[in-house]
């Protein structure tokens, strides 16, 4: 990718001269789609990011959110008073590393984890949880399996090595990701009011310090590489644009960051990600309304004879840019030495332009605000997709149930999450494999060592559904937001905040941009209906390849809160009645059933009162009489019931027809309860409650659909759901 001629003309007019090679490359990267959001920023105003809980919203490396006191944690955010929040904060951020993970799945995914963790550090927070949402081509393709295994290994090795648990996420397979997989990673951090740092420079005369690993030549042009379609030879030609991670240095950086924050040595911070040192330092000072004077010769390097352009734009990992008061520089250097990390005083914050010198020559001299914010926005055409008509297949019920349960999208993901250390840090109260993870935020109890459950439980859910957004970008994105909220509510928590990773193809194609606009508007509308602010995010476009564009993919990472850490499991006890809460949309569009059996249908209608529905689900999930809960989504009721089955507990269930069995309308939950009447009373006027049957103690799922009955034992279901390890091994 090179600087477009229209951009070059605009830059030349602003500078009054032709840009130097270093300036041209800096503008190319910082004005790329990946950094400047030239096609997406005009749409992002649709999101509501305000709320009493929002301390710092969009625009920084991560959002900062106040955690409610335990006494208010069960109350919906829209009903809380400002004084319901504690002095404990979380940070929330999400990033994509899509193109790098195609070219080099191991390093691409690993450095994606490293980047989002450093975004957390730059806010003065300690990382406590990761959530990965992964999307690959059809599972039966050998290349998809290669990418899948490499990405999971990269996330596992990096996350495990730095001691941050991966506790939530999703994995989806879809033919249209064949040439361009997606790797979206979210991170939750923990901080408080006194420790928060921002990426906004504070004062002219303060020093700029490059802290962490030495700079090499890896990752050159990564931002511009992420802003163009992948060619068929990308796996070999684009490998130099992929960074190489060092998790052991990242772990040292995490601990060093804690020390720096403890001693109040950091005035502002930005991690070195897209566009490397040039991107981090220029954005840091521009955000504060300052300039900078930087001497590139001072940067500590790990390779000889690096030139100015390489030093400026390399995206070598495990590096931070800190603004430090002059009197604190020696102490910062001492801490770097203690943790065996590099430290260079590369310049200072100034009142003028953003300037960089190398070997005595000025190689960059530009207005920092123009560099950071001057990219012109794109005005693109958008064409909306048409809804599908109903054309349902006539299939054998036994075969259809087995096909949906054994589909890699609905099958067990244990092969993935068992590779992650999801318990490190001793905060994980509900582990992967359920609707949502729950992390123990004991600090809100007033005693950080209290393990009794007196603190606030933080529920985490992350993911999207490409089948839904392929069928209906707008309706599918609304459903993605509702499903994540339902996942959280099914564990007794109420939504607090969310971040999104908006992935799309080449926006210059009107149908692709129309689909992208649909997911933005749909996600924004449902999050507003749920009174859940979207406090930050990431946009990744140009996810096209020789195979075509990806589906519009709106990954949402949502957090919610509850008092304490206990929650009903997504596993039957065998002792209660099974109820289905929520209205079905009476349509199969976007379902795994149609993906397996063929045919078409409209996307289901969603409930009109999502906030009230989610709050009531959470209330019922917290009741002592509730024995088990599980949301209905991918694969519909058939998969939800199969996932609830255990070796010791089953169910006898009756439903009307195949539509009722395979409908994937979110906002519905299967509840096992010993007090069905109280559930009906709670949902009176909110949502319908239907009795499905009784839980049993025989480990068999008996499904009667119309006049047909299918029986599945726990062992048979487990074998069907183990398709991923059986295929890979």
């Amino acid at each position: 990718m090179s600087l477009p001629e229209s951009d070059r003309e605009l830059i030349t007019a602003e500078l009054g001269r032709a840009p130097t090679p270093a300036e041209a490359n800096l503008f190319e990267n910082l004005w790329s789609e990946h950094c400047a959001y030239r096609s997406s920023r005009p749409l992002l105003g649709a999101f509501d990011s305000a709320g009493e809980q929002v301390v710092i919203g969009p625009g920084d490396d991560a959002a900062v959110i106040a955690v409610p006191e335990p006494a208010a944690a069960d109350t919906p955010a829209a009903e809380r008073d400002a004084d319901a929040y504690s002095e404990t904060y979380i940070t929330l951020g999400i990033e994509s590393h899509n193109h790098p993970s195609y070219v080099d799945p191991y390093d691409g995914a690993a450095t994606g984890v490293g980047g989002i963790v450093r975004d957390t550090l730059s806010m003065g927070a300690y990382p406590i949880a990761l959530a990965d949402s992964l999307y690959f081509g059809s599972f039966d393709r050998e290349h998809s399996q290669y990418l899948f295994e490499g990405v999971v290994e990269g996330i596992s090795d990096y996350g495990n090595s730095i001691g941050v648990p991966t506790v939530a996420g999703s994995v989806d397979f879809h033919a249209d990701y064949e040439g361009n997989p997606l790797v979206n990673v979210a991170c939750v951090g923990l901080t408080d009011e006194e420790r928060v740092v921002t990426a906004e420079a504070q004062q002219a005369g303060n020093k700029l310090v490059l802290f962490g690993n030495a700079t090499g030549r890896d990752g050159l042009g990564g931002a511009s590489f992420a802003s163009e379609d992948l060619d068929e030879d990308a796996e070999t030609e684009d490998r130099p644009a992929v960074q190489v991670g060092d998790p052991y240095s990242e772990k040292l950086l995490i601990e060093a960051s804690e020390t720096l924050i403890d001693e109040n040595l950091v005035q502002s911070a930005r991690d070195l990600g897209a566009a490397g040192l040039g991107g981090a330092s220029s954005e840091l000072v521009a955000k504060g309304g300052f300039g900078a004077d930087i001497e590139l010769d001072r940067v500590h390097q790990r390779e000889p004879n690096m030139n100015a352009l390489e030093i400026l734009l390399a995206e070598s990992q495990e590096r931070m840019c800190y603004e430090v008061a002059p009197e604190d520089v020696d102490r910062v250097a001492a801490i770097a030495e203690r943790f065996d990390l590099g430290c260079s005083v590369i310049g200072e914050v100034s009142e003028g332009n953003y300037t960089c010198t190398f070997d005595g020559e000025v190689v960059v001299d530009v207005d920092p605000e123009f560099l950071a914010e001057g990219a012109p926005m794109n005005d693109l055409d958008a064409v909306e997709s048409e809804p599908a008509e109903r054309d349902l297949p006539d299939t054998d019920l036994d075969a259809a149930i087995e096909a949906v349960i054994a589909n890699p999208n609905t099958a067990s993901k244990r092969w993935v999450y068992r590779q992650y250390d999801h318990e490190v840090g001793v905060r994980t109260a509900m582990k992967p494999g359920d609707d949502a993870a729950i992390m123990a935020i004991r600090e809100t109890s007033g005693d950080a060592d209290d393990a009794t459950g007196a603190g606030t439980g933080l529920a985490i859910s992350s993911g999207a559904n490409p089948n839904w957004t392929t069928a209906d970008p707008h309706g599918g994105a609304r459903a993605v937001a509702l499903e994540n909220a339902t996942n959280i509510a099914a564990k007794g928590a109420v939504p607090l905040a969310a971040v999104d990773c908006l992935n799309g193809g080449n926006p210059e194609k009107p149908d692709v941009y129309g689909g992208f606009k649909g997911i933005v508007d749909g996600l924004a509308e449902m999050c507003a209906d749920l009174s859940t602010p979207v406090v930050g995010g990431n946009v990744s476009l140009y996810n096209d390849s020789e195979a075509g564009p990806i589906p519009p993919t709106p990954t949402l990472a949502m957090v919610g809160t509850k008092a304490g850490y206990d929650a009903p499991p997504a596993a039957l006890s065998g002792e209660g009645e099974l109820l289905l809460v929520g209205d079905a949309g009476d349509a199969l569009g976007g379902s795994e059933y149609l993906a397996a059996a063929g045919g078409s249908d409209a996307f289901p209608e969603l409930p009109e009162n999502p906030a009230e529905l989610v709050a009531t689900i959470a209330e019922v999930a917290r009741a002592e009489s509730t024995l088990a809960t599980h949301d209905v989504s991918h694969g519909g009721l058939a998969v939800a019931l199969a996932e609830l089955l255990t070796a010791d507990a089953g169910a006898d269930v009756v439903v009307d027809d195949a539509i009722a069995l395979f409908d994937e309308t979110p906002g519905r939950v299967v509840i096992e309860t010993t007090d069905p009447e109280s559930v009906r009373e709670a949902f009176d006027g909110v949502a319908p409650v239907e009795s499905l049957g009784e839980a049993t103690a025989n480990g068999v799922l008996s499904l009667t659909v119309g006049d047909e009955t299918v029986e599945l034992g726990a062992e048979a279901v487990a074998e069907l759901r183990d398709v991923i390890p059986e295929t890979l091994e």
Side-chain angles (χ1 to χ4, degrees), residues 572-578 627 648-650 672-675 694-697:
L572 296 172
S573 74
E575 299 175 2
E577 182 176 343
L578 263 62
L627 304 177
D648 300 317
E672 183 189 8
T673 177
T674 58
D675 189 358
E694 298 289 333
T696 64

Side-chain angles (χ1 to χ4, degrees), residues 195 257-266 328 331 335 338:
R195 297 169 60 83
S257 175
E258 277 292 284
T259 304
L260 294 170
I261 298 300
D262 282 343
E263 297 187 21
N264 196 29
L265 297 172
V266 177
D328 292 331
R331 178 57 184 155
I335 291 171
R338 171 185 162 193

Side-chain angles (χ1 to χ4, degrees), residues 33 58 86 131 153 211 221 286 326 386 467 498 530 536 539 558 568 595 620 666 697 699 714:
E33 186 67 48
S86 71
E153 185 181 6
F211 192 98
E386 296 292 328
N467 284 339
L530 292 166
V539 175
M558 184 180 289
V620 170

Side-chain angles (χ1 to χ4, degrees), residues 14 27 30-31 281-287 289-292 350-355 365-374:
E14 173 69 21
F27 275 106
L30 290 179
W31 282 21
S281 58
S282 64
E283 290 170 344
L284 182 78
V285 296
K287 193 173 176 64
F290 295 102
S350 73
E351 295 285 2
N353 272 359
Y354 176 77
T355 66
D365 186 0
V366 298
D367 180 333
E369 184 176 359
F370 180 66
L371 178 61
E373 300 292 339

Side-chain angles (χ1 to χ4, degrees), residues 534-561:
V534 179
V535 293
N538 173 251
V539 175
S540 175
L541 295 175
Y542 291 95
N543 290 294
D544 271 51
S545 67
E546 295 293 314
I550 64 160
T553 310
T555 297
L556 193 71
M558 184 180 289
V559 295
T561 60

